[in-house]
Amino acid sequence: MSSSVGWYARHSQEDEERWRVVALLHDFDYEIHPTLDQHPQDGAAILREEGYPEDVIEAVLSHAEHLQMPRDTQLKKTLFACDELSGFVHACGLVRPTGLDGLEPKSVLKKLKQPSFAAGVHRDEVYAGAEALGLELDEHIRNVVAALQPIAPQLGLRTAETAPAS
Ligand SMILES: [Fe+2]
C-alpha cells in the first residue's frame, strides 16, 4: 500500500516521503482499535499527542468510509484508491506462479468480478477509488502492479525468475 501511494507521489512530483508516511500510518491503530467506533478516530488522538502534523492526521482519518470526510486533496484520493486495490493485487500475485510478472489488468478485473476471491476486499471501494483519481480502473491497476512489482519478494511473491518449474 505505501509502495502504491509512493508510486503515485513520485509520478505526480508530490512529496513521496510524506505520502508514504500517511500510507504506513493509516491503519497503525487497527490492532488496538479494531472496531469502527474507535478506528481510526482514536488513533488520530495518539498521532496528535505524538506531534504529527494536522494534514497528515487528516489524511489518515479520511481513508475511513464511515467518517465521510471529503477527499479533497490528491493525497486523500490516492490513499483511498490504493488501500483496497493494493491488497487485492497482492492476492492476485499470490495465486500466480510468476507473482505479479505478466499480470495484466484484464485478469485483475476478472477476479474482481469473482466475489469469492479475496472476499474481504470491498469492490465498491476499488471502483470508487479509480473514479476519485480520475483514472480508468485498468490504468489504476496497471500502476499498482508496477508499484508492487519491485517489492514482490518482500511481499512473499514469486517472480518470473523464481517461478516453480512446470
Ligand atoms: Fe483503516
Side-chain angles (χ1 to χ4, degrees):
M1 154 75 155
S2 64
S3 297
S4 303
V5 170
W7 189 98
Y8 274 105
R10 208 155 59 244
H11 287 257
S12 47
Q13 279 85 49
E14 296 283 355
D15 184 343
E16 181 174 356
E17 196 182 340
R18 199 175 195 86
W19 282 34
R20 277 181 178 267
V21 164
V22 169
L24 285 170
L25 285 175
H26 84 287
D27 269 344
F28 88 98
D29 69 323
Y30 196 72
E31 284 187 19
I32 51 170
H33 303 140
T35 53
L36 295 183
D37 60 323
Q38 289 195 297
H39 168 79
Q41 307 86 285
D42 291 5
I46 297 173
L47 295 178
R48 217 161 263 136
E49 268 168 44
E50 294 293 322
Y52 281 93
E54 210 46 45
D55 66 304
V56 166
I57 297 170
E58 194 181 303
V60 166
L61 283 169
S62 75
H63 87 272
E65 279 288 77
H66 66 282
L67 297 180
Q68 295 187 311
M69 290 169 62
R71 297 197 180 97
D72 51 6
T73 66
Q74 209 52 34
L75 169 56
K76 292 178 191 173
K77 290 173 191 173
T78 306
L79 183 70
F80 173 67
C82 291
D83 197 358
E84 296 291 282
L85 186 60
S86 298
F88 192 81
V89 166
H90 185 196
C92 291
L94 284 170
V95 298
R96 299 180 70 252
T98 59
L100 300 174
D101 291 343
L103 175 59
E104 288 294 330
K106 68 172 189 303
S107 79
V108 177
L109 288 168
K110 209 166 127 191
K111 283 205 157 54
L112 280 168
K113 291 187 185 123
Q114 299 169 11
S116 61
F117 183 82
V121 172
H122 298 106
R123 271 48 174 186
D124 48 343
E125 293 184 20
V126 170
Y127 300 125
E131 210 179 305
L133 289 179
L135 293 178
E136 292 297 331
L137 183 53
D138 64 337
E139 194 182 347
H140 183 34
I141 290 170
R142 197 179 294 284
N143 294 342
V144 167
V145 171
L148 299 185
Q149 246 163 355
I151 58 155
Q154 290 98 299
L155 294 173
L157 297 171
R158 290 179 290 247
T159 65
E161 283 79 50
T162 60
S166 52

